[in-house]
Amino acid sequence: MNSLIRLEITRALRNRKFLFFSVIYPSALFLLIAGSADGTSEVAGTGLTLPTFFMVSMASFGALTAVLMGNSERIAKERENGWVRQLRLTTLPGRGYVLAKTASAAVVSLPSVVVVFVVAAAVKDVRLHAWQWLALTGAIWAGSLVFAALGVAIGYLATGDAVRPITMIVYFGLSMLGGLWMPTTTFPRWLRDIAEWLPTHAYAALGQSIEQSHAPHAQDLAVLAVSFVLFAGGAAWLYRKDTLKA
């Protein structure tokens, strides 16, 4: 299993086109959204300035891009070209394959988070304590594992032709409804109630609580934990189901 993890990480880092997209895209969106805002304008209901609020949102969005988009399409292609069939001839358990894919995606997500932070600090003069920068990096990076597992599940759920549209619907739906592109405080009340139970909302709220020097809400931690268990468990189950089908 360790060998497969190393192989997956190496393959992920060699995909320069995807690395460029996943790292530059969220930073560009951050500048587009927060570029004209001053450092004193606050997002209603958060107590955070617009640059600090969207720094966490776009860092979370960048990690989501890296782990979800990369995992789902890559796995669907591997199923079609026979790579997964070769793995079935080994003693690799389903959980080993899921862990390998999740670990490689997590490595790719880290640069996208760091670059957004660097751009926010350099261009928009976002200033935080050293512990906050470290805690934000760790929390957003660790939280991306939830969506890496979701990417694995989608890769096994969809065929090669269907995986991209399904992934895009999930990707944009979670991003918009979870409040990564705009504050959920601007949503109608009924939509806000739905958004509070989405893993993307809990993901961004985790970083925002660190910026506010507050402890994370128990509901947000629970949503992320339950989502990870469901996505990882679903991915392992779909892997075994696909094995039995072959």
Side-chain angles (χ1 to χ4, degrees), residues 55-65 113 140 147 180 200 203-204 207:
M55 180 185 74
V56 163
S57 294
M58 289 299 104
S60 302
F61 177 68
L64 175 68
T65 302
V113 174
I140 295 176
F147 306 99
L180 299 186
T200 38
Y203 187 33

Side-chain angles (χ1 to χ4, degrees), residues 141-225:
W141 179 74
S144 69
L145 298 177
V146 174
F147 306 99
L150 175 59
V152 176
I154 294 175
Y156 267 97
L157 183 65
T159 62
D161 292 333
V163 66
R164 176 163 292 188
I166 291 175
T167 302
M168 294 298 285
I169 291 172
V170 173
Y171 171 64
F172 286 115
L174 287 176
S175 298
M176 290 186 289
L177 295 178
L180 299 186
W181 288 3
M182 63 186 72
T184 56
T185 52
T186 64
F187 292 178
R189 183 65 200 180
W190 65 270
L191 187 57
R192 199 183 315 163
D193 291 339
I194 295 174
E196 289 177 355
W197 293 98
L198 294 178
T200 38
H201 179 274
Y203 187 33
L206 194 63
Q208 290 158 10
S209 66
I210 294 172
E211 288 184 316
Q212 297 167 325
S213 299
H214 295 162
H217 292 295
Q219 177 179 316
D220 295 326
L221 294 175
V223 168
L224 288 173

Side-chain angles (χ1 to χ4, degrees), residues 26-243:
S27 301
L29 279 180
F30 170 78
L31 292 176
L32 182 65
I33 296 172
S36 59
D38 58 49
T40 59
S41 299
E42 290 191 357
V43 176
T46 67
L48 297 172
T49 64
L50 195 147
T52 55
F53 178 89
F54 278 106
M55 180 185 74
V56 163
S57 294
M58 289 299 104
S60 302
F61 177 68
L64 175 68
T65 302
V67 300
L68 182 60
M69 299 295 289
N71 255 356
S72 59
E73 293 191 29
R74 189 179 303 118
I75 290 170
K77 290 178 180 177
E78 289 177 355
R79 291 171 61 202
E80 288 190 340
N81 64 26
W83 168 243
V84 175
R85 190 160 49 248
Q86 292 295 321
L87 290 177
R88 293 192 188 112
L89 300 177
T90 70
T91 57
L92 180 72
R95 67 179 182 277
Y97 182 82
V98 173
L99 285 174
K101 287 296 183 182
T102 303
S104 64
V107 170
V108 175
S109 71
L110 186 59
S112 64
V113 174
V114 173
V115 170
V116 171
F117 288 170
V118 170
V119 170
V123 179
K124 299 305 297 179
D125 199 33
V126 173
R127 294 291 179 264
L128 298 172
H129 296 295
W131 73 266
Q132 289 176 303
W133 288 115
L134 291 174
L136 278 174
T137 303
I140 295 176
W141 179 74
S144 69
L145 298 177
V146 174
F147 306 99
L150 175 59
V152 176
I154 294 175
Y156 267 97
L157 183 65
T159 62
D161 292 333
V163 66
R164 176 163 292 188
I166 291 175
T167 302
M168 294 298 285
I169 291 172
V170 173
Y171 171 64
F172 286 115
L174 287 176
S175 298
M176 290 186 289
L177 295 178
L180 299 186
W181 288 3
M182 63 186 72
T184 56
T185 52
T186 64
F187 292 178
R189 183 65 200 180
W190 65 270
L191 187 57
R192 199 183 315 163
D193 291 339
I194 295 174
E196 289 177 355
W197 293 98
L198 294 178
T200 38
H201 179 274
Y203 187 33
L206 194 63
Q208 290 158 10
S209 66
I210 294 172
E211 288 184 316
Q212 297 167 325
S213 299
H214 295 162
H217 292 295
Q219 177 179 316
D220 295 326
L221 294 175
V223 168
L224 288 173
V226 171
S227 297
F228 179 73
V229 171
L230 290 176
F231 296 155
W237 179 77
L238 288 167
Y239 175 82
R240 289 193 296 269
K241 182 181 178 182
D242 194 70
T243 300

